[in-house]
Amino acid sequence: MEHQLKEEQGRIVVALKGDVDLQSSPAARSVLLDAVGRGFPIFVDLSDVTYIDSSGIASLVEALQDARKRGSRFALVSVSEAAHRVLQLARLDKVFAIHASLADALSRAE
Amino acid sequence: MTRPRVNENHTWKSDDAFSDHLELLAAMGQDFAASRDIDKTLEHALVRITEYLDAESGALFILDDEGKTLTCTSCHGATQITGFRLPSDQGIVGRAVQNNAGEIVRDASTDPSFFPGVDRQTGYTTKSILCAPISIHDRRMGAIELINKRGSDPRFTPDDLHILETMASSAGLAILNARMSEALVEKERFERELELAAEIQRSLLPERRDGGFPVHGASIPARLVSGDFYDFFTLPDGRIAFNLGDVSGKGMNAALLMAKTASLYRCLGKTLHHPGQLLARINAEIHETATRGMFVTMIGGIYEPATGLVRLANAGHEPPLLHRRDGRFVAFPAEAPPLGIVPSSDSFDDFPETELNLEGGTLYVFTDGVTEGYLKGGGTLRVEGFEAVIRENAGIPLARRLDNVTALFGGAGRTLRDDVTMLGVDDAEPAKARGAAPGSPTPRAPRAPRAKEEVEEEELVRLEVSARPDRLKLVRRAVSEAAALCGCGETLTRDLILGVDEACQNVIRHAYGDDPGGDMIVEIRRKGDELIIELRDFAPPIDVDKVRPRDLDDVRPGGLGTHLIGQVMDEVAFLPSPPGGGNLLRMVKRIS
């Protein structure tokens, strides 16, 4: 898994890429929690996620919970089909705010 | 000479009467065998040994569980140091324990290990010491120390040491024995507590109503305590609230979470008459306090006999089945995640509700123990089999219908694989009362079970890898190749990969746990339109009949991963431990 973190105009975009699995999810978790810790709205770009497992989903849930506690916005954008399928199987697709693209997310105030 | 204190449990000869050490040993052995109080018996043995070997004093030291401290538990003779402690690697007694060897110290004052503090405290002068460790094989339990031989020659002899060592072995066996029986008593206590817990659990289930009542339930636990529950009660307006749930995992922690969830429902359900709201509230409670990784799948509903309407909310549970009057079955899949997974801040968002009209039909809510549990005659029911049994029994009262289903499982002396729990809401009588002439349900012969086609199995992939996170990619690739060989579509392939990956994770994280380095074998075979995936590990085998609930949970953890496996696979089951040990998980995915 690779990741990319961009901070721009008072928001953070974290892009996760590749396989988020048991081996890489600890890294994903710390990237996400660090980003949330900076107190800005977080958009997680999952367009290049080729695989995500329960440990990866758990990292997203933990980051979401943390963001909510801080009152920060936390949204998933450009979710790949592979990632969307797992969110759906976990029945978490209604729990996360999911947007087709970053632009789409920004056009909607939370 | 000091006389031994008389122990009321024993009669023994005066110490003077022991003509040789064999006789002493035999007497001690009898004492130990008859002993119900190990401390007293050891105390008396020490008296006997001290007297027999003609020492001025004797002390018994016991090593603590961590092996760090020696404590003097009894003394006889000139010095009284009962309660005295020292680190297990100090003093002459410590040295004997560490080396697991007895020794004779002819002149204590010149021995560097000798600890003079005791003499200073007691005002006694230690000259010579005889010390033997108490141990069985390599298990160290303490030591016996004798001080200052009486008589003209104050030195202990090798013969003395030999005798003391023999006595110490005998004492070691007695201590070991006593500790084992303590463990046995503890186990019995644990079992009694488990029975009490089971009794409390049974009291949480509703009492069976008379035959005319439209809602009935049935539950048989796989073990003493259960993670399944159901409940129903009539609301003041005549509607009937019902629920059924299944806590992930098994054993005591599942049972406790079951008790909590069932109580929450009963309490909140009296005032909150919207199943979606109710489940959201319970979710908030469970998520806040539940142990990480545990969850509950649950269905809550309200049935209105006056109209036949049911409002349902389904949190990640098996889809309930409506057996309509025309004989057809309709399933209602879950629209919300299991309770305890989603953050609690969603609690103000109600879970989605489904409304349906039973129109004289019967709604069945059940746990996967019904569709996936082992039947008495072998095999599993699956949803199709469950539907067939319901059809066969459609003409008889609901309570008996449910009993006829539970009767298919387990049986005397056979352990169930999972708790089997069902609840039915039968609208036939209320529909009659509503005037909608129900007519007789369309008679339909139960589907004859399909004749088992003789299909050859074809092995597609066999992969043996270390059970390590960095090998999962390889496993996923292998599954992907096997799926491609069978012409599986994209979603099906992804689901298969996810299911196998999650199952491997369970092996890595739970079966091997803290003991990495084991291997696992993934084997994928095709049989007709079924992909059969077997995952073998070499971790300590799980004997479902013997392991305690907690151990079992370690290997079959609850959590999102297990939930996902259940979602993507058609069948998941642990097979009996294969020859050579380990565990064998079998998953089946139909790919037609």
Side-chain angles (χ1 to χ4, degrees), chain A residues 1 19-23 29 50-55 57-58 61-62 64-65 68 81-82 85-86 88-92 94-95, chain B residues 287 292 316 334 336-337 341-343 345-346 469-470 472-473 476 491 494-495 497-498 501-502 505 509 560-561 563-564 567-568:
Chain A
M1 185 203 73
D19 287 6
V20 189
D21 67 356
L22 187 61
Q23 199 188 0
R29 178 179 178 272
T50 44
Y51 176 78
I52 186 163
D53 71 351
S54 59
S55 67
I57 296 287
V61 170
E62 202 177 338
L64 169 72
Q65 280 173 284
R68 287 205 172 149
E81 240 177 89
R85 174 68 183 157
V86 185
Q88 208 180 12
L89 287 169
R91 302 209 175 87
L92 292 168
K94 305 246 159 44
V95 172
Chain B
H287 186 268
R292 212 183 153 95
I341 290 182
V342 183
S345 42
D346 286 295
D470 62 0
L472 288 172
K473 215 171 190 117
R476 294 200 295 270
T491 305
R494 277 190 189 133
D495 286 1
I497 292 174
L498 181 69
D501 184 300
E502 295 289 350
Q505 289 190 35
R509 293 162 65 177
L560 192 53
H563 175 69
L564 290 174
Q567 287 286 299
V568 297

Side-chain angles (χ1 to χ4, degrees), chain B residues 14 21 27 34 67 82-83 90 92 102 137 149 158 169 189 201 209 222 225 235 284 315 382 456 466 497 527 548 577:
Chain B
S14 155
H21 70 272
T82 306
Q90 283 186 25
I92 287 162
H137 302 300
K149 180 134 177 138
S169 306
R189 197 181 56 80
Q201 273 208 310
R209 303 293 193 96
V225 292
L235 299 172
R382 300 187 190 176
E456 285 286 305
S466 304
I497 292 174
K527 188 181 183 186
R548 295 216 316 214
S577 191

Side-chain angles (χ1 to χ4, degrees), chain B residues 414-488:
Chain B
R414 219 185 131 178
T415 317
L416 294 175
R417 186 158 107 217
D418 200 356
D419 308 323
V420 173
T421 303
M422 277 175 297
L423 176 137
V425 182
D426 189 343
D427 189 47
E429 290 303 317
K432 264 187 215 163
R434 291 197 298 271
S440 54
T442 324
R444 259 189 176 223
R447 244 192 313 181
R450 264 185 301 173
K452 277 275 177 206
E453 296 163 56
E454 284 305 313
V455 188
E456 285 286 305
E457 282 193 7
E458 179 197 359
E459 184 174 293
L460 301 172
V461 165
R462 189 176 186 281
L463 180 68
E464 182 162 356
V465 288
S466 304
R468 285 166 33 183
D470 62 0
R471 295 294 188 270
L472 288 172
K473 215 171 190 117
L474 188 61
V475 172
R476 294 200 295 270
R477 198 165 303 150
V479 177
S480 169
E481 292 298 327
L485 282 175
C486 301
C488 296

Side-chain angles (χ1 to χ4, degrees), chain B residues 174-363:
Chain B
I175 294 171
L176 195 65
N177 222 339
R179 287 183 184 169
M180 273 158 58
S181 51
E182 250 171 55
L184 202 66
V185 168
E186 174 64 18
K187 186 165 167 271
E188 276 170 11
R189 197 181 56 80
F190 175 75
E191 277 163 9
R192 268 201 308 280
E193 279 179 7
L194 207 61
E195 271 162 31
L196 269 177
E199 203 176 305
I200 290 171
Q201 273 208 310
R202 281 193 293 277
S203 76
L204 291 173
L205 298 179
E207 279 182 28
R208 187 155 268 205
R209 303 293 193 96
D210 65 62
F213 198 74
V215 184
H216 288 277
S219 182
I220 43 173
R223 271 174 263 141
L224 266 179
V225 292
S226 165
D228 283 7
F229 61 95
Y230 69 89
D231 195 8
F232 53 83
F233 45 88
T234 310
L235 299 172
D237 60 11
R239 291 186 297 164
I240 301 167
F242 61 88
N243 71 66
L244 180 141
D246 183 354
V247 177
S248 66
K250 301 208 160 28
M252 197 47 101
N253 45 359
L256 286 172
L257 186 54
M258 167 271 177
K260 176 178 174 169
T261 313
S263 309
L264 275 172
Y265 195 99
R266 183 165 271 214
C267 178
L268 296 170
K270 296 258 158 83
T271 53
L272 210 58
H273 299 162
H274 302 279
Q277 239 174 43
L278 194 50
L279 290 199
R281 282 285 298 278
I282 296 174
N283 176 55
E285 279 299 320
I286 294 177
H287 186 268
E288 230 174 83
T289 51
T291 325
R292 212 183 153 95
M294 289 189 78
F295 63 81
V296 184
T297 68
M298 185 173 188
I299 287 178
I302 291 192
Y303 163 64
E304 189 170 41
T307 57
L309 278 180
V310 165
R311 291 188 73 78
L312 271 188
N314 183 345
H317 195 79
E318 300 289 301
L321 279 178
L322 170 59
H323 188 206
R324 304 199 323 184
R325 257 176 42 218
D326 64 9
R328 282 197 290 161
F329 282 94
V330 187
F332 297 88
E335 291 182 28
L339 307 178
I341 290 182
V342 183
S344 55
S345 42
D346 286 295
S347 56
F348 44 84
D349 299 328
D350 295 351
F351 278 33
E353 287 181 5
T354 307
E355 191 176 86
L356 55 143
N357 198 317
L358 302 188
E359 293 177 322
T362 305
L363 182 73

Side-chain angles (χ1 to χ4, degrees), chain B residues 29-291:
Chain B
Q30 275 170 16
D31 270 6
F32 284 136
S35 164
R36 267 169 298 171
D37 181 343
I38 182 69
D39 295 332
K40 274 215 171 104
T41 315
L42 283 171
E43 201 176 310
H44 184 245
L46 178 70
V47 173
R48 285 178 154 171
I49 294 167
T50 311
E51 298 297 333
Y52 185 81
L53 292 177
D54 219 8
E56 282 179 11
S57 75
L60 175 72
F61 286 86
I62 297 292
L63 192 63
D64 66 355
D65 290 342
E66 288 87 45
K68 291 202 174 122
T69 310
L70 282 160
T71 305
C72 175
T73 57
S74 72
C75 281
H76 174 64
T79 51
Q80 279 304 324
I81 55 164
T82 306
F84 174 74
R85 288 159 186 272
L86 80 166
S88 63
D89 55 356
Q90 283 186 25
I92 287 162
V93 60
R95 192 168 67 198
V97 167
Q98 293 304 323
N99 298 338
N100 204 12
E103 58 178 298
I104 304 168
V105 176
R106 299 246 154 88
D107 183 0
S109 63
T110 62
D111 191 303
S113 291
F114 177 66
F115 183 75
V118 176
D119 278 5
R120 276 203 295 277
Q121 266 178 34
T122 57
Y124 181 78
T125 308
T126 301
K127 291 175 232 148
S128 60
I129 292 178
L130 184 69
C131 188
I134 301 174
S135 68
I136 299 294
H137 302 300
D138 282 338
R139 190 161 161 181
R140 285 146 213 227
M141 287 173 273
I144 303 176
E145 191 178 50
L146 301 185
I147 295 170
N148 295 356
K149 180 134 177 138
R150 292 180 215 266
S152 49
D153 186 355
R155 292 174 304 179
F156 290 103
T157 66
D159 271 355
D160 292 341
L161 178 60
H162 181 66
I163 293 167
L164 185 63
E165 281 175 335
T166 315
M167 308 291 161
S169 306
S170 166
L173 271 178
I175 294 171
L176 195 65
N177 222 339
R179 287 183 184 169
M180 273 158 58
S181 51
E182 250 171 55
L184 202 66
V185 168
E186 174 64 18
K187 186 165 167 271
E188 276 170 11
R189 197 181 56 80
F190 175 75
E191 277 163 9
R192 268 201 308 280
E193 279 179 7
L194 207 61
E195 271 162 31
L196 269 177
E199 203 176 305
I200 290 171
Q201 273 208 310
R202 281 193 293 277
S203 76
L204 291 173
L205 298 179
E207 279 182 28
R208 187 155 268 205
R209 303 293 193 96
D210 65 62
F213 198 74
V215 184
H216 288 277
S219 182
I220 43 173
R223 271 174 263 141
L224 266 179
V225 292
S226 165
D228 283 7
F229 61 95
Y230 69 89
D231 195 8
F232 53 83
F233 45 88
T234 310
L235 299 172
D237 60 11
R239 291 186 297 164
I240 301 167
F242 61 88
N243 71 66
L244 180 141
D246 183 354
V247 177
S248 66
K250 301 208 160 28
M252 197 47 101
N253 45 359
L256 286 172
L257 186 54
M258 167 271 177
K260 176 178 174 169
T261 313
S263 309
L264 275 172
Y265 195 99
R266 183 165 271 214
C267 178
L268 296 170
K270 296 258 158 83
T271 53
L272 210 58
H273 299 162
H274 302 279
Q277 239 174 43
L278 194 50
L279 290 199
R281 282 285 298 278
I282 296 174
N283 176 55
E285 279 299 320
I286 294 177
H287 186 268
E288 230 174 83
T289 51
T291 325

